[in-house]
């Protein structure tokens, strides 16, 4: 019981330090970000460069992680910020949507569905596909939505 309360005390101290650092106008300190690899590779570089130019004395650490690792890193106070696909819900976390993105289905040019302007998720019931492994959060979301439509996707690559 004491160990649990000790963790809470250290967590609150870290939060207090972070709040004080914010009041010092971001002149020094650290910022630890955990983000999905796609975000790290494609979306973060311009933002990180701009942040560093504006706040050169802030030590910035960006880690490419999976959703579960980001979730745990935030809850254990090992990360200051996480960038994941929603939903991510927990009483101790606040989520702010950054933007919406549509999923796309890639098909060979001569495949019959390539001529369709839009397809719905139930196409995965009819057309053999390649999906991420089931350990990925995006795959789990796809599986959940397919289940809601009454089927389970059966990709070539499991």
């Amino acid at each position: 019981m004491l160990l649990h309360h000790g963790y809470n005390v250290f967590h609150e101290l870290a939060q207090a330090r972070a709040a004080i650092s914010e009041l010092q106008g971001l002149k020094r300190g650290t910022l630890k970000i955990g983000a999905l690899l796609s975000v790290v590779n494609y979306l973060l570089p311009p933002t990180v460069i701009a942040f560093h130019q504006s706040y050169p004395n802030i030590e910035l650490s960006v880690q490419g992680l999976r959703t579960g690792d980001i979730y745990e890193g935030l809850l254990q106070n090992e990360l200051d910020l996480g960038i994941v696909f929603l939903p991510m819900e927990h009483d101790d976390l606040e989520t702010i949507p950054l933007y919406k993105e549509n999923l796309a289905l890639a098909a060979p040019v001569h495949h019959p569905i390539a001529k369709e302007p839009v397809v719905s998720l139930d196409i995965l019931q009819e057309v053999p596909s390649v999906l991420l492994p089931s350990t990925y959060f995006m795959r789990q979301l796809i599986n959940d939505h397919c289940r809601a439509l009454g089927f389970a996707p059966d990709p070539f690559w499991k």
Side-chain angles (χ1 to χ4, degrees):
M1 191 159 76
L2 181 59
L3 180 64
H4 173 72
H5 288 289
Y7 283 134
N8 287 340
V9 168
F10 284 114
H11 176 73
E12 290 302 319
L13 283 173
Q15 295 297 334
R17 268 193 225 115
I20 291 168
S21 292
E22 289 174 9
L23 294 175
Q24 293 175 344
L26 294 175
K27 292 184 181 167
R28 63 185 165 159
T30 61
L31 179 61
K32 296 174 279 185
I33 301 172
L36 300 172
L37 285 174
S38 57
V39 172
V40 170
N41 293 332
Y42 301 108
L43 300 176
L44 273 186
T47 306
V48 168
I49 290 168
F51 182 88
H52 181 68
Q53 289 170 341
S54 297
Y55 306 101
N57 296 323
I58 301 292
E59 182 183 326
L60 187 60
S61 168
V62 178
Q63 299 176 33
L65 301 169
R66 293 168 78 171
T67 301
D69 297 328
I70 294 168
Y71 184 83
E72 288 302 316
L74 290 167
L75 291 174
Q76 298 298 319
N77 208 32
E78 296 165 354
L79 295 172
D80 299 309
L81 180 69
I83 303 174
V84 297
F85 291 113
L86 293 178
M88 177 178 267
E89 297 175 2
H90 190 280
D91 290 342
D92 293 334
L93 297 176
E94 182 176 341
T95 58
I96 302 166
L98 298 175
Y99 65 93
K100 287 187 177 189
E101 187 172 15
N102 293 320
L103 288 178
L105 176 69
V109 174
H110 300 295
H111 194 284
I113 65 169
K115 293 171 182 38
E116 298 293 328
V118 175
V119 294
S120 61
L121 193 58
D122 61 355
I123 195 74
L124 295 179
Q125 188 170 288
E126 304 164 21
V127 177
S129 60
V130 176
L131 296 172
L132 292 167
S134 59
T135 55
Y136 282 74
F137 186 70
M138 180 55 66
R139 170 65 185 279
Q140 293 167 11
L141 283 176
I142 290 170
N143 286 353
D144 290 346
H145 286 283
C146 288
R147 266 194 296 281
L149 294 171
F151 74 96
D154 188 22
F156 287 130
W157 181 36
K158 302 179 188 208

